[in-house]
Amino acid sequence: MSYPDRKIQLRKHDGDWAAGFHAMASPCVALTSGVDKTQTRKIAKLITKEVWRIQDKYSRYDPQSTLSRINSRAGTPTRVDTETARLLDTAKQLYAASNRGFDITSGVLRKAWYFDGSDSLPEPAEVETLMHKVGWDKIQWQSPMLHLRENMEIDFGGIGKEYAADAALERVRAQHQSPMLINLGGDICVSGPRQNQQPWLIGVENPGHPGTGNKVIELSSGALATSGTSHRFVRKNGMTYGHILDPRTGWPVVDAPLSVTVAAPTCSEAGMWATLAMLQGALAETFLRQESGRQHWVKRCPPPH
């Protein structure tokens, strides 16, 4: 496939360089500290090469992708490669840890839900029909063999960006020791502190609180990941339905926060905790305090006046 939008745009950022690009339906950026424009471009090329590789491999829009080929063989056992096997193992662990709330077979529900800010809700019967195609427990996974039932499919969208951020950072670290930050649509990891041991300053959106600006988080190591519902939703009869769907019901998670941000050693771990917390709905904060042991920030709608 041809990708005319795959460009890297460099600009100055607080005295250093930022490389902007687009991946996984998100605006992305790579920041460096203490290196020149030429070095930044080299680092950005390594990052984008890895991120776009993962995007292409697991794109549901490309009929030639590894993911599409797996889904096209539903009903037949399929041998998967080592990287895909690792992602499937992660998905299995998340399915168990979330009490079936995280399920990579639930992507088919997008055929009923369009979180475009409108008031369009699907008919319950439409959701129920799709639910027959949802359920990790309906597939057989014994590495390296995957057997999907006919008409079922998998989608790594729930873990793909975080995995790509970690993989890109690992790839670059093998060749460059320069301080860097990778931001894939809000999923962020850093190689360490900035030049002179200064932390990276991360602005986390404060949804639902107009005029209050962003919360600034200092990050010297590890990663941040955010899961949120503030930009994708349906609003009907005074109720807002966020885009985080519960695979056990086919409907949006009840009382889900506007956003959950978690800090962890890797972007994949941070994303796991953020997602699991969103699935807890009203109990998100309690869940993170009791279970994660990670620093976190939870935003909810402001109380009515």
Side-chain angles (χ1 to χ4, degrees):
M1 295 181 68
S2 175
Y3 301 99
D5 62 331
R6 291 196 172 174
K7 300 176 182 178
I8 300 172
Q9 297 182 325
L10 277 84
R11 59 181 173 83
K12 276 285 190 178
H13 178 80
D14 291 340
D16 285 306
W17 287 97
F21 59 99
H22 196 272
M24 300 183 176
S26 302
C28 305
V29 66
L31 301 177
T32 57
S33 180
V35 300
D36 60 20
K37 183 177 182 181
T38 300
Q39 188 78 336
T40 299
R41 186 180 297 277
K42 289 179 180 179
I43 289 171
K45 285 182 176 179
L46 284 173
I47 291 170
T48 54
K49 182 177 181 180
E50 182 69 353
V51 171
W52 288 332
R53 178 192 71 81
I54 293 169
Q55 175 177 318
D56 293 345
K57 184 172 182 177
Y58 298 115
S59 170
R60 67 172 182 261
Y61 303 107
D62 183 354
Q64 300 304 314
S65 73
T66 294
L67 181 73
S68 293
R69 290 198 297 270
I70 291 172
N71 289 335
S72 71
R73 291 179 57 81
T76 304
T78 302
R79 180 181 293 273
V80 303
D81 62 79
T82 301
E83 183 176 40
T84 304
R86 288 199 303 268
L87 288 173
L88 286 167
D89 284 340
T90 298
K92 180 180 179 180
Q93 293 166 4
L94 285 170
Y95 178 77
S98 64
N99 189 27
R100 301 182 296 113
F102 182 93
D103 194 326
I104 62 169
T105 70
S106 65
V108 295
L109 293 171
R110 67 179 177 274
K111 297 178 180 179
W113 288 95
Y114 300 93
F115 295 102
D116 54 5
S118 69
D119 63 353
S120 178
L121 288 179
E123 293 294 329
E126 183 181 5
V127 174
E128 186 59 34
T129 297
L130 291 171
M131 286 297 292
H132 293 293
K133 303 176 183 179
V134 175
W136 173 272
D137 57 338
K138 297 174 183 175
I139 70 177
Q140 298 175 38
W141 166 237
Q142 184 63 50
S143 184
M145 300 304 297
L146 174 68
H147 190 177
L148 295 172
R149 289 186 185 180
E150 288 189 27
N151 299 316
M152 288 187 69
E153 61 181 58
I154 59 173
D155 185 347
F156 291 122
I159 54 178
K161 274 200 295 146
E162 297 90 340
Y163 170 72
D166 288 336
L169 183 62
E170 182 178 351
R171 180 183 179 90
V172 179
R173 271 177 164 169
Q175 299 185 40
H176 296 273
Q177 299 304 310
S178 306
M180 72 193 76
L181 175 150
I182 299 172
N183 179 349
L184 302 186
D187 294 324
I188 300 167
C189 56
V190 301
S191 63
R194 299 176 64 189
Q195 191 180 34
N196 300 324
Q197 298 302 303
Q198 295 299 306
W200 300 90
L201 302 181
I202 314 297
V204 177
E205 184 183 5
N206 202 357
H209 296 265
T212 61
N214 292 345
K215 180 178 182 63
V216 177
I217 298 172
E218 295 185 353
L219 189 67
S220 293
S221 64
L224 291 174
T226 299
S227 180
T229 62
S230 59
H231 296 295
R232 296 179 59 204
F233 58 87
V234 173
R235 188 170 285 133
K236 182 82 169 182
N237 298 328
M239 287 191 63
T240 298
Y241 300 81
H243 81 280
I244 306 296
L245 293 173
D246 189 333
R248 296 162 293 196
T249 66
W251 288 76
V253 175
V254 177
D255 292 329
L258 286 174
S259 70
V260 174
T261 299
V262 179
T266 67
C267 211
S268 294
E269 182 182 342
M272 175 193 75
W273 286 115
T275 299
L276 293 182
M278 289 294 292
L279 292 168
Q280 305 302 313
L283 299 177
E285 294 96 329
T286 301
F287 170 80
L288 286 168
R289 284 196 304 269
Q290 294 180 351
E291 302 293 335
S292 75
R294 300 299 181 193
Q295 193 173 10
H296 59 271
W297 300 264
V298 177
K299 298 297 181 185
R300 292 191 175 276
C301 288
H305 296 293

